[in-house]
Amino acid sequence: MKKAFLFDMDGVLADTETEWDRLGYDDLLKNHFGPELYAKVTIKGGTSIKGIFDQFVEAGWAGDYETFYRLNVSIATKIYGQIQLTLGIDTLIHSLLKSGFVVGVVSSSPLEWIEMLISRLADRDRLAIVVSVNNHPTLKPKPAPDPYLYAIRELGVEPSRTLVLEDSQPGVSSARSAGAQVICFTQFNHGYDWQSKPTNAHYYAASMEEVEQIVAKINLE
């Protein structure tokens, strides 16, 4: 029977969320939406660009999404095209493929940003599926199970034979609700105010080496 391993991207394949913070994303939000609306919105790790925009709309914003998206592109290009991939990620993916897993990525980010980053993976061409929640308007975003249920269905694998590597609470909750076994990746959880250590994951790992060790102990038969 087929078995799958699905990666989240931001905070897993690379420490992108820290880079968004370092490059002043809070200031971009304050300048675009205004400090009053900014104070009404809570941005957490794992939230998509569209999800952030929708929160401001709910708080009273009347602007358009395309303008906001274009503001994000300049920062995104700097990050996803240049950031160092997580140490050991290529080794882990190669090991998973060798062990018979079908491997994919399920991310809240726009597809063009995902492609910028994963194009540098050694086994990019062997990824079985790449899902951008941002580019699937019919999918409810994480923490809803929709993104992972969609990937699992497209791959033709049982949820119980699916492992997911996530770093955020919305991501962990999404994968668990879809019936997958979840490994929480904590290497890039630096304790910032927009981060909190996810609860309810089945396993926790602080490096890709630890992820590989956990996978070796899980019986999916």
Side-chain angles (χ1 to χ4, degrees):
M1 291 178 64
K2 196 185 286 188
K3 56 185 179 180
F5 193 102
L6 299 173
F7 290 88
D8 175 41
M9 181 180 70
D10 294 287
V12 174
L13 299 184
D15 191 11
T16 52
E17 292 178 338
T18 298
E19 282 299 286
W20 280 99
D21 188 62
R22 185 182 69 82
L23 292 172
Y25 194 60
D26 279 354
D27 290 336
L28 181 148
L29 295 177
K30 289 176 186 177
N31 291 335
H32 185 69
F33 295 107
E36 291 186 5
L37 283 184
Y38 177 82
K40 296 179 180 180
V41 172
T42 301
I43 307 300
K44 296 182 179 180
T47 306
S48 69
I49 295 299
K50 185 63 165 59
I52 291 171
F53 179 79
D54 289 344
Q55 288 186 53
F56 280 100
V57 170
E58 292 175 8
W61 180 251
D64 66 284
Y65 172 68
E66 289 303 320
T67 299
F68 176 60
Y69 179 79
R70 288 195 296 272
L71 285 175
N72 285 269
V73 169
S74 61
I75 298 180
T77 301
K78 293 178 183 177
I79 294 173
Y80 296 101
Q82 302 173 23
I83 193 169
Q84 181 178 351
L85 296 174
T86 303
L87 183 65
I89 185 61
D90 282 327
T91 300
L92 174 60
I93 293 176
H94 184 75
S95 174
L96 291 168
L97 292 167
K98 189 176 180 180
S99 299
F101 283 88
V102 290
V103 178
V105 174
V106 178
S107 171
S108 297
S109 289
L111 184 60
E112 63 179 300
W113 302 0
I114 299 171
E115 290 292 352
M116 271 192 277
L117 191 147
I118 67 174
S119 65
R120 292 182 283 123
L121 292 171
D123 287 304
R124 165 61 185 97
D125 292 341
R126 298 182 67 187
L127 296 181
I129 192 169
V130 177
V131 178
S132 164
V133 180
N134 190 84
N135 287 53
H136 277 267
T138 60
L139 295 180
K140 293 180 181 178
K142 304 172 184 178
D146 298 39
Y148 285 107
L149 286 175
Y150 173 81
I152 288 167
R153 183 173 64 251
E154 289 295 302
L155 290 172
V157 65
E158 292 295 323
S160 61
R161 291 177 59 80
T162 302
L163 303 181
V164 171
L165 187 62
E166 271 281 359
D167 73 306
S168 69
Q169 188 63 66
V172 169
S173 298
S174 173
R176 283 209 61 146
S177 296
Q181 295 191 56
V182 188
I183 305 170
C184 179
F185 190 65
T186 62
Q187 182 173 340
F188 302 132
N189 190 313
H190 305 300
Y192 298 139
D193 56 2
W194 44 266
Q195 284 181 322
S196 59
K197 185 176 179 180
T199 59
N200 299 328
H202 296 93
Y203 310 93
Y204 291 82
S207 68
M208 291 300 169
E209 183 179 5
E210 286 187 21
V211 174
E212 189 170 357
Q213 292 170 356
I214 290 170
V215 172
K217 295 176 182 178
I218 299 175
N219 184 4
L220 295 178
E221 302 306 325

